[in-house]
Amino acid sequence: MRTFLSAGALITAAALTAISAPAAHAVLPATKGDNGTVKIHDAATGEELKNNEPKVCEFYLVAFKFDAGQKADWEIQAWANNDLDKGTVVESGSLTLDEEGHERTEDMKLPKGQYKLFWTFEGENGKAKHKVFKSTCEDVEPTPGTSEPTPGTSEPTPGTSEPTPGTSTSAAPAPGGDDASGDLAETGNGAPLGLLAGLAAVLVAGGGYLLARRRTATRH
């Protein structure tokens, strides 16, 4: 009788062990590195939301529930309905996730068309995570800084476009040329006409004076 009870106890214990083992395995965490997800968000959507938005214009990528401090690489490829060949990489980057396995990219824009995101990460055991989405942008603006001239290149260099002080104004007339009044300057052929006219006037006056003296002497 005791032997029968002992055998029954062993069978019961074995059964309980077999039942509890799968349950213990079920509560183990997911495989390291594969338990996160990545979403496409419109630029106006808060990064704390976990919804995916497959039609966007200005957008960003946001990761949730990856391992703390995990490093991730991502790239976006042209996929359909655009001017690029399928598989052409149009954007790429990398992120180091925070202690909650969360992080986001900067906002970006792509020309209108369909694209596919590929997200790879440290400790990855399966395939890269991916998302197909559409850009609805009709006209993508150029990247800031590429369409604007570099400071200092579009403006004239100081001193090159403006006349150098003293060089753009007319030089003073050289001695021997016309003076400001338009009269000819003296040349080497004789005295100025004004001087000659004055001398003639002096001679005439002197002649008149002598003639008057002579007449007075004759009367006396």
Side-chain angles (χ1 to χ4, degrees), residues 13-199:
L16 291 173
T17 301
I19 293 172
S20 62
H25 178 72
V27 300
L28 291 176
T31 303
K32 180 178 175 61
D34 292 331
N35 53 344
T37 185
V38 60
K39 305 293 185 181
I40 309 291
H41 271 188
D42 184 275
T45 301
E47 64 180 275
E48 72 281 358
L49 301 178
K50 294 184 180 180
N51 57 305
N52 189 63
E53 297 171 299
K55 291 184 179 181
V56 291
C57 177
E58 187 171 5
F59 68 97
Y60 65 93
L61 312 178
V62 57
F64 298 96
K65 301 299 182 180
F66 284 90
D67 295 320
Q70 197 167 26
K71 293 182 180 179
D73 295 312
W74 59 271
E75 66 179 31
I76 297 173
Q77 298 180 7
W79 210 245
N81 302 323
N82 52 51
D83 296 332
L84 301 173
D85 294 333
K86 184 177 181 179
T88 301
V89 177
V90 294
E91 291 285 354
S92 62
S94 59
L95 291 172
T96 299
L97 309 182
D98 63 17
E99 65 277 5
E100 296 180 354
H102 174 82
E103 193 54 81
R104 58 159 288 175
T105 66
E106 298 293 331
D107 292 348
M108 62 189 94
K109 285 185 177 182
L110 292 172
K112 187 176 181 180
Q114 189 180 74
Y115 300 88
K116 189 170 185 178
L117 165 68
F118 293 87
W119 181 279
T120 58
F121 45 91
E122 288 181 335
E124 175 183 318
N125 294 301
K127 295 181 179 180
K129 295 183 182 294
H130 53 81
K131 289 283 188 298
V132 175
F133 66 99
K134 290 182 179 180
S135 171
T136 59
C137 293
E138 294 293 340
D139 185 20
V140 177
E141 296 180 359
T143 304
T146 59
S147 62
E148 297 296 328
T150 303
T153 58
S154 61
E155 297 296 329
T157 303
T160 58
S161 62
E162 297 296 329
T164 303
T167 59
S168 62
T169 56
S170 300
D178 295 343
D179 61 16
S181 63
D183 295 333
L184 293 176
E186 180 181 357
T187 65
N189 295 327
L193 295 178
L195 179 60
L196 295 178
L199 181 60

